[in-house]
């Protein structure tokens, strides 16, 4: 049976480190690292995510400000809010909860956030810096996955890794981070031919697809490490259950290590968001 990578436990360790970093910044520089979270509209899942982020920020002693805009807000309303957060010296990180209502342009919003305060790591300058292997604010979910992988592998160099999914927020930055660690990286997606065989060759499989239980034991080489990013809400017997992209019950018996859903990548994502906020605050001080 695989080692279960406990994202809750690991994220608590990260949060303890973030908390002492926040204390250090307060003592040495006399400022409180502060995260601004912007939510447009009433999407229930987004409301839960925003609440959790604010709660965790408060738990580590960080400042937090939440801005809620009406679903009918215009691009100009949102742009004006971002401009004011960009110039507010008491705000060190800005997160706009995605997805936005359809009439708003996400790319425009992401590009408007100051790259120095872009704690999601989605701004084109941060994306470019990551691709070029330079210091940048790195997207939170892939960063969390890397911490999980490093817990299992002291050296990732030379390992073959397959990332299933090529989104800008998970798949592509995940592949860039694995490449930085000298892995041999393949990105698989909906057009990949014989995807099971592609995955079966890998030492490391990262699943970021959004299809419940897509990846079963036929896709995984015995002894591989499997990181499950997927969050799929499935109704079973009238009850809503969260499931990953990996069929845990068939893969866990053959893998070397596996992250569960829930309790895997999810908690790591929030911890890395707060880590990015302290990093952003520090950089703005220098
Ligand atoms: P996207 O929908 O943006 O991307 C999904 C990717 O999966 C696409 O590249 C798509 O390929 C690929 N894909 C879809 N179907 C298949 C298939 N049958 N076989 C192979 N590849 C396929 O999703 P995200 O990257 O935003 O999110 C992925 C999952 O991760 C979701 O479940 C999401 O909820 C979860 N997530 C979890 C987070 C966390 O904190 N734990 C944070 C962010 C996301 P193509 O490009 O060809 O269409």
């Amino acid at each position: 049976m695989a080692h279960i990578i406990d994202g809750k436990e690991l994220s608590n360790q990260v949060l303890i480190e973030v908390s002492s970093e926040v204390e250090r910044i307060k003592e040495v520089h006399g400022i409180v690292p502060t995260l601004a979270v912007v939510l447009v509209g009433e999407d229930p899942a987004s409301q839960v995510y925003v609440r959790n982020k604010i709660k965790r920020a408060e738990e580590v002693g960080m400042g937090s400000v939440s801005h809620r805009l009406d679903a009918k807000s215009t691009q100009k309303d949102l742009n004006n809010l971002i401009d004011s957060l960009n110039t507010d010296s008491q705000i060190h990180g800005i997160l706009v909860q995605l997805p936005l209502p359809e009439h708003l342009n996400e790319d425009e919003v992401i590009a408007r956030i100051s790259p120095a305060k872009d704690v999601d790591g989605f701004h084109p300058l941060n994306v470019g810096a990551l691709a070029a292997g330079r210091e940048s604010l790195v997207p939170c979910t892939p960063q969390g996955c890397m911490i999980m992988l490093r817990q299992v592998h002291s050296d990732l160099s030379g390992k073959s890794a397959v990332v299933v999914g090529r989104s800008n927020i998970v798949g592509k930055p995940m592949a860039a981070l694995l490449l930085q660690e000298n892995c041999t990286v393949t990105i698989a997606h909906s057009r990949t031919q014989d995807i099971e065989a592609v995955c079966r060759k890998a030492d490391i499989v990262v699943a970021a697809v959004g299809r419940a239980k897509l990846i079963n034991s036929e896709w995984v080489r015995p002894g591989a490490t499997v990181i499950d990013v997927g969050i799929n809400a499935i109704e079973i017997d009238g009850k809503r259950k969260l499931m990953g992209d990996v069929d845990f019950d068939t893969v866990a018996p053959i893998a070397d290590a596996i992250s569960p859903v829930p309790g895997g990548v999810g908690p790591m994502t929030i911890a890395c968001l707060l880590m990015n906020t302290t990093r952003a605050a520090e950089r703005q001080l220098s």
Side-chain angles (χ1 to χ4, degrees), residues 141 165-167 169-170 189-190 195 208-211 229-231 265-266 269:
T141 299
R166 56 175 164 178
S167 71
I169 62 168
V170 191
H189 45 78
S190 67
I195 193 164
V209 184
R211 304 268 184 282
V229 180
I231 301 178
V265 177
T269 297

Side-chain angles (χ1 to χ4, degrees), residues 159-261:
K159 303 235 176 272
S160 65
V162 173
V163 180
V164 190
R166 56 175 164 178
S167 71
N168 290 336
I169 62 168
V170 191
K172 285 180 195 156
M174 185 73 226
L177 288 173
L178 287 162
L179 190 60
Q180 273 182 17
E181 297 281 341
N182 300 314
C183 288
T184 302
V185 185
T186 303
I187 305 181
H189 45 78
S190 67
R191 313 288 173 89
T192 300
Q193 290 183 10
D194 202 0
I195 193 164
E196 289 93 335
V198 171
C199 290
R200 243 187 344 256
K201 288 195 183 125
D203 300 314
I204 293 164
V205 177
V206 180
V209 184
R211 304 268 184 282
K213 294 191 176 186
L214 175 75
I215 294 171
N216 58 39
S217 55
E218 298 289 305
W219 296 51
V220 176
R221 189 172 63 72
T225 300
V226 180
I227 303 289
D228 191 353
V229 180
I231 301 178
N232 307 288
I234 305 292
E235 286 255 326
I236 298 176
D237 299 333
K239 281 192 190 142
R240 193 172 162 274
K241 204 173 167 222
L242 287 189
M243 262 180 213
D245 291 339
V246 176
D247 183 5
F248 188 90
D249 293 339
T250 66
V251 174
I254 62 157
D256 172 57
I258 184 167
S259 70
V261 177

